[in-house]
Amino acid sequence: MFALTFLGTSASVPSVERNHPALLVEAAGKRILVDCGEGTQRQLLRSGAGFRRLDRILLTHGHLDHVLGIPGLFSTLGLRQTSDVMTVHAGPGTLDIVVRMLAGLWGAGRAPIPVAFAPLTEGQVIDAGDFTIDCFPVRHRDTDSFGFSIQSPVRRHLLPERLASLSVPDGPMRGELAAGRPVVIAGRTIDPEDVLGPPGGGRKLVVVGDTETTDGLSRHAADADMLVIEATFLDRDAATARDYGHLTATEAASFAAASNVKQLVLVHMSGRYEDEQILAEATKVFPNTRIAADFDHIVI
């Protein structure tokens, strides 16, 4: 299960209703921040999520509307005397921006909390056992941008009633069966298929920040349970979208349809349009679309 809390859903200019980009993802007891726009620390408080167990930030790219909240968040965590190391994952160019920003405030190599910087290259970022995070390059103007694919494995769980009927005792034998290996009890072989339920789990969440094209991204988003992606412009302003390195609602929806995703969630909303206009354009192509608002909470 993945739980998403949308902390900021605006484009580069925030509004009364929408803060700068930030998304909190919770999985298997871990909490990960994707982007950290200005004011994210207050959004964490207003959402009720708070700062507990928050020790990792994934940055899609280095534009200021996606990173300016980092110094404020770190300052507050420092005042709370957190001893946890905050790991920041981003492309090398984005990390350089963050490092220089922190150095300008606190001096080279210093910050209010322990910080580790992990440069991204395409492939696996984290293997947490219960889920993995992979990253892939995204084209957005002159940045080293990345999208993220967060997946939980397909698992089969032991069926208690079958274990009891076959007299399989608690302990190592059940572990063997759960791992897919047969066991022998009193001369009788118990096969894993006798006690395992149907496959379950196997969720996939894909998050793409700002991007000027979806070319080459379908293999990463394919069959996702949810795709979170920007839709800054309407199709009537496609030329302007190209100039600024963003997608239209039609392009985002077409990408979702081509990638066979189950649900599309649009973010990075521009104040030049009403939400209803963006949603109407997207749902013509991909009906299972919603626009995220600040503080929306979605569970996959």
Side-chain angles (χ1 to χ4, degrees):
M1 182 182 79
F2 300 134
L4 288 69
T5 303
F6 291 83
L7 302 172
T9 57
S10 78
S12 56
V13 179
S15 68
V16 173
E17 296 83 15
R18 296 184 183 277
N19 203 63
H20 276 144
L23 171 66
L24 181 67
V25 178
E26 301 178 69
K30 300 185 183 300
R31 305 167 84 233
I32 299 162
L33 198 59
V34 182
D35 286 337
C36 188
E38 186 179 358
T40 293
Q41 62 168 325
R42 189 161 185 266
Q43 298 294 91
L44 282 164
L45 292 171
R46 289 188 64 198
S47 70
F51 306 119
R52 65 192 185 283
R53 294 183 286 107
L54 181 62
D55 61 2
R56 201 176 296 273
I57 300 174
L58 308 176
L59 296 176
T60 60
H61 65 292
H63 283 164
L64 294 183
D65 56 320
H66 292 255
V67 303
L68 271 181
I70 292 175
L73 176 62
F74 285 9
S75 181
T76 295
L77 292 176
L79 291 171
R80 288 171 171 252
Q81 299 183 329
T82 181
S83 59
D84 294 334
V85 176
M86 179 69 75
T87 303
V88 181
H89 300 265
T94 300
L95 284 182
D96 182 61
I97 291 169
V98 174
V99 168
R100 287 189 287 115
M101 182 168 57
L102 298 178
L105 291 167
W106 291 290
R110 300 180 62 189
I113 60 172
V115 184
F117 299 101
L120 293 174
T121 56
E122 183 173 2
Q124 190 170 94
V125 179
I126 300 165
D127 184 350
D130 289 319
F131 67 93
T132 59
I133 301 178
D134 288 75
C135 71
F136 50 90
V138 171
R139 285 166 48 192
H140 176 53
R141 301 173 72 179
D142 57 352
T143 64
D144 55 350
S145 296
F146 286 89
F148 301 99
S149 175
I150 307 172
Q151 298 187 68
S152 60
V154 175
R155 298 188 188 279
R156 298 180 66 189
H157 296 283
L158 295 171
L159 299 172
E161 66 277 8
R162 292 295 297 154
L163 294 169
S165 68
L166 294 169
S167 301
V168 180
D170 288 334
M173 284 189 175
R174 294 194 178 193
E176 290 292 300
L177 289 166
R181 293 183 287 269
V183 299
V184 177
I185 300 175
R188 180 169 48 99
T189 299
I190 307 296
D191 191 83
E193 289 298 321
D194 298 332
V195 294
L196 288 173
R203 299 292 183 257
K204 180 177 179 180
L205 164 67
V206 175
V207 180
V208 179
D210 298 4
T211 181
E212 61 197 49
T213 180
T214 59
D215 290 350
L217 301 186
S218 278
R219 65 189 178 94
H220 302 291
D223 303 317
D225 293 277
M226 180 177 291
L227 168 66
V228 179
I229 194 169
E230 67 130 305
T232 310
F233 290 89
L234 290 178
D235 203 48
R236 71 190 188 210
D237 296 319
T240 306
R242 294 290 78 74
D243 291 341
Y244 286 94
H246 289 291
L247 295 182
T248 68
T250 294
E251 288 169 330
S254 298
F255 175 59
S259 303
N260 194 39
V261 307
K262 293 182 176 64
Q263 184 175 13
L264 171 64
V265 180
L266 300 178
V267 291
H268 211 259
M269 297 292 101
S270 170
R272 59 173 58 85
Y273 310 115
E274 297 294 330
D275 286 3
E276 291 76 13
Q277 294 176 283
I278 299 168
L279 190 61
E281 181 169 295
T283 53
K284 285 181 181 178
V285 179
F286 191 80
N288 196 16
T289 301
R290 67 180 285 178
I291 293 176
D294 285 18
F295 309 119
D296 277 357
H297 185 74
I298 304 176
V299 175
I300 305 174

